[in-house]
Amino acid sequence: MPDSTTIKVSTKTRDALRQLADRDGLTLDAQLGQLIRRERRRMIGTQLASAPLDAAEEATLDASASDLADASG
């Protein structure tokens, strides 16, 4: 890790992070990175889910739903 810094967190937060990192077999740094990435992906998903679909996107989803229904029926 070429660059590093110290951050102050409560012992409760540190212990919770350590527990997650140990569970996943990661360092604290890697676990924090993974949590940050997951949060960014969650935020992007929320933004995408709230965006209205245009007519072409709705047609694509309808066609995909029909294909699935035909394949299972």
Side-chain angles (χ1 to χ4, degrees), residues 4-67:
S4 66
T5 189
T6 301
I7 60 172
K8 291 185 182 230
V9 297
S10 69
T11 54
K12 182 179 175 182
T13 298
R14 181 206 58 207
D15 292 346
L17 181 62
R18 168 57 63 203
Q19 186 178 28
L20 290 172
D22 288 347
R23 179 199 67 192
D24 295 340
L26 300 172
T27 63
L28 293 177
D29 182 64
Q31 186 68 48
L32 274 172
Q34 189 176 73
L35 291 169
I36 291 166
R37 187 170 151 199
R38 284 181 189 165
E39 176 59 12
R40 286 182 176 151
R41 291 170 67 186
R42 187 199 63 77
M43 289 169 40
I44 291 168
T46 298
Q47 291 171 344
L48 289 172
S50 65
L53 299 176
D54 64 24
E57 292 168 326
E58 284 194 38
T60 300
L61 287 175
D62 289 343
S64 296
S66 295
D67 290 345

